[in-house]
Amino acid sequence: MTNAKLASLMARGTEFLGCDVAILCGAMSWVSERHLVAAISNAGGFGVIACGAMTPDLLDREIAATKALTSKPFGVNLITMHPQLFDLIDVCARHEVGHVVLAGGLPPKGSIEAIKAPRAGGGGAKLICFAPALALAKKLARSGVDALVIEGMEAGGHIGPVSTSVLAQEILPEMASQLPVFVAGGIGRGELIAGYLEMGAAGVQLGTRFACATESIAHPNFKKAFFRASARDAIASVQIDPRLPVIPVRALKNAGTEAFTVKQREVANLLDSGAVDMGEAQLQIEHYWAGALRRAVIDGDVEGGSLMAGQSVGMVAREEPVADIIAQLMDEAAVALERRG
């Protein structure tokens, strides 16, 4: 049975995540909150709360609210540069969150140990980290990370310089036998999911495909912008000053894209004057994106806000329930595997 083959290929991922379908939802700030996260987990996938710039108190409330909407497993995505990272880790531990995703760079000293530290009720959380290169994937594996996400430049939000297909070819043959590896970036249909599973992936991560789900709280204007967009409308931001530690962001082009260029110049001038150090400069850039994304997602400002989207946005044509999206992806993957025999 083809469905049995699909289930077999996903077995490592589903066992690791504790869900029925090895599809993680990418952590999208303001979008990946309690409603979408719970809906994805309830539909058999694996929802992930985007902590972003939340305070520990806010994250505490968000986890509690998500647990009220689902009894299924879900994870929390934490940003490595958050000034209260270890307090956020403590919040996850108190709620016995089973999986923590660290994004934004190498895990700071002590963070891996804090996440994986045993709790009163048993073991610590499982840790998932992003690996944008094979060398980093190997280093993370040696450091005790439990699983990896390899995300290509086709993805929305913060991106690296290499495409998903190239990363998969470089990293899966080397790392898939050592630990579960989830592939992300530019995935919009089940045929591609089947292909990555056959290459050794334990599962996949999708963000853009879920951003306009019925359960997503994103503003109607935000969703309409996605429905109208094609792949070429999702462009990467440009770094104007090589001193600034600016990771490119992929989003739909609008006035907010131009505003980011202005913001970079402003922060560069502050660096020149000595008014801020490099760490503060990075935080100012991150806070800019958090505010711009909120204006688009929550307020519906699709001109001045940030419409973070991956290149798969052209495959987002209408609002659909999460369960239907996952079912369609799985059906497409099963048909693809059947065709291949």
Side-chain angles (χ1 to χ4, degrees):
M1 292 292 292
T2 303
N3 284 340
K5 182 177 181 181
L6 179 57
S8 176
L9 289 172
M10 275 194 166
R12 190 180 189 189
T14 54
E15 181 180 354
F16 175 78
L17 298 171
C19 58
D20 299 326
V21 181
I23 296 178
L24 295 93
C25 180
M28 301 170 283
S29 292
W30 305 109
V31 178
S32 299
E33 49 74 70
R34 65 191 72 172
H35 297 94
L36 183 61
V37 170
I40 288 169
S41 291
N42 285 335
F46 193 80
V48 179
I49 294 173
C51 175
M54 286 185 193
T55 63
D57 285 344
L58 279 175
L59 179 62
D60 180 61
R61 292 198 291 272
E62 195 62 37
I63 294 173
T66 305
K67 289 167 75 173
L69 296 174
T70 183
S71 59
K72 302 292 182 67
F74 62 87
V76 175
N77 179 293
L78 303 177
I79 307 299
T80 56
M81 70 184 70
H82 197 296
Q84 294 178 285
L85 175 62
F86 286 87
D87 294 328
L88 297 170
I89 292 171
D90 288 343
V91 170
C92 292
R94 287 202 304 274
H95 280 283
E96 298 185 342
V97 171
H99 298 71
V100 171
V101 183
L102 275 186
L106 282 170
K109 184 177 180 181
S111 59
I112 294 178
E113 294 79 3
I115 290 167
K116 295 168 66 71
R119 303 164 182 170
K126 294 176 180 177
L127 174 59
I128 306 171
C129 284
F130 286 83
L134 178 58
L136 184 56
K138 291 179 176 180
K139 183 172 184 176
L140 289 168
R142 289 194 300 269
S143 69
V145 167
D146 298 297
L148 300 173
V149 174
I150 55 175
E151 182 177 67
M153 66 182 297
E154 302 94 323
H158 292 295
I159 57 171
V162 182
S163 71
T164 304
S165 61
V166 172
L167 285 177
Q169 292 174 81
E170 285 184 342
I171 296 177
L172 287 174
E174 293 273 351
M175 304 302 301
S177 61
Q178 298 183 39
L179 74 179
V181 181
F182 298 86
V183 179
I187 301 173
R189 290 184 59 89
E191 292 90 344
L192 190 57
I193 294 174
Y196 285 134
L197 290 172
E198 287 186 314
M199 289 177 68
V204 294
Q205 175 180 288
L206 284 75
T208 300
R209 192 72 175 81
F210 290 121
C212 297
T214 305
E215 296 88 348
S216 166
I217 65 164
H219 195 282
N221 292 351
F222 183 90
K223 294 183 179 182
K224 287 175 185 175
F226 272 48
F227 302 152
R228 291 193 298 262
S230 67
R232 65 179 59 203
D233 295 320
I235 64 171
S237 61
V238 177
Q239 182 182 22
I240 66 164
D241 190 324
R243 296 172 307 158
L244 283 177
V246 176
I247 301 171
V249 168
R250 187 174 300 283
L252 301 183
K253 187 175 183 179
N254 63 359
T257 309
E258 303 304 319
F260 179 56
T261 301
V262 175
K263 179 63 179 178
Q264 286 188 73
R265 290 197 183 98
E266 175 190 317
V267 174
N269 289 336
L270 290 173
L271 272 174
D272 287 338
S273 68
V276 299
D277 59 17
M278 196 59 77
E280 175 61 24
Q282 177 77 62
L283 281 175
Q284 285 204 23
I285 295 294
E286 290 303 312
H287 287 157
Y288 169 84
W289 283 121
L293 187 58
R294 187 189 191 286
R295 289 196 298 276
V297 174
I298 304 299
D299 302 333
D301 178 6
V302 296
E303 287 303 318
S306 175
L307 296 165
M308 291 189 190
Q311 290 181 321
S312 62
V313 68
M315 289 173 261
V316 180
R318 62 189 179 277
E319 195 174 57
E320 302 172 85
V322 161
D324 289 356
I325 295 172
I326 291 178
Q328 180 185 0
L329 292 169
M330 293 296 285
D331 286 346
E332 291 166 350
V335 169
L337 291 171
E338 185 175 356
R339 287 201 196 107
R340 297 169 195 172

